[in-house]
Amino acid sequence: MQHDRIDPREWIRRLQLEPHPDGGYFRETYRAAGNVTRDRESQPRSASTAIYFLLCDGAHSAWHRIRSDEVWHFYAGDPVDVHVVDEHGVLTTHRLGNAVLHPDAAFQAVVAAGDWFAAECRDADGAALVGCTVAPGFEFSEFELAEAGALEARYPQHRELIARLGPN
């Protein structure tokens, strides 16, 4: 089986990707027509959303969190490390990639609602096309980009990683 090399410019053009606020490129591909309401909320929201997300040119997805679970899916390119820090400060790194070519990788990984997370290509000059599915659906109003200094103060044991993957 051949390695999935991708030309980031071609993927940006073909998939009509736009710059993402926390790094990389994206396009929403699905927003469920059906709505749900969370406990103790009155505002209905889409039941689920999905995006394409491209990391390339040394970009990373900076530390952020959302109020819904997010499933990451690997499509093509180089392995991606998704770093997650839970409320107790436990760091978990999920390696997304072609699990046939990279035995230490998985095709999917889940980030729990409210956990801080960031992502990067394992190789600094790598490129990867992934997807993210969020349920209940993603809303930018619930997207919280980390302030790196505050996150480092809360989780000093992960200071170097937090600083390296902070907002661009």
Side-chain angles (χ1 to χ4, degrees):
M1 187 175 277
Q2 189 175 355
H3 182 64
D4 293 334
R5 287 307 306 166
I6 62 175
D7 176 358
R9 303 300 151 244
E10 179 66 11
W11 285 106
I12 290 167
R13 183 188 66 75
R14 287 177 59 189
L15 298 175
Q16 302 171 357
L17 304 177
E18 302 282 333
H20 194 284
D22 74 340
Y25 297 87
F26 84 110
R27 179 171 62 89
E28 186 174 274
T29 58
Y30 173 73
R31 181 167 289 273
N35 288 326
V36 296
T37 303
R38 285 193 192 158
D39 294 342
R40 298 178 299 280
E41 287 185 359
S42 59
Q43 184 76 336
R45 57 187 304 115
S46 184
S48 179
T49 56
I51 64 168
Y52 287 131
F53 185 59
L54 176 70
L55 284 174
C56 61
D57 301 330
H60 62 270
S61 174
W63 291 100
H64 64 286
R65 65 181 173 182
I66 61 175
R67 293 185 57 210
S68 297
D69 290 343
E70 182 166 339
V71 181
W72 285 61
H73 313 267
F74 179 80
Y75 296 130
D78 299 300
V80 172
D81 286 340
V82 181
H83 307 285
V84 182
V85 177
D86 72 14
E87 65 182 280
H88 305 291
V90 175
L91 171 68
T92 302
T93 297
H94 303 283
R95 176 149 298 151
L96 282 178
N98 184 328
V100 175
L101 297 176
H102 304 280
D104 62 339
F107 287 109
Q108 296 181 353
V110 176
V111 176
D115 286 352
W116 290 103
F117 63 104
E120 62 183 333
C121 286
R122 184 172 68 179
D123 298 322
D125 62 346
L129 179 65
V130 299
C132 299
T133 303
V134 177
F138 177 83
E139 297 294 339
F140 268 107
S141 63
E142 294 184 353
F143 173 87
E144 182 181 357
L145 190 60
E147 197 289 310
L151 204 58
E152 289 173 31
R154 183 169 179 192
Y155 305 114
Q157 68 272 35
H158 308 304
R159 178 172 283 129
E160 289 179 27
L161 183 62
I162 291 168
R164 186 166 56 79
L165 298 177
N168 296 319

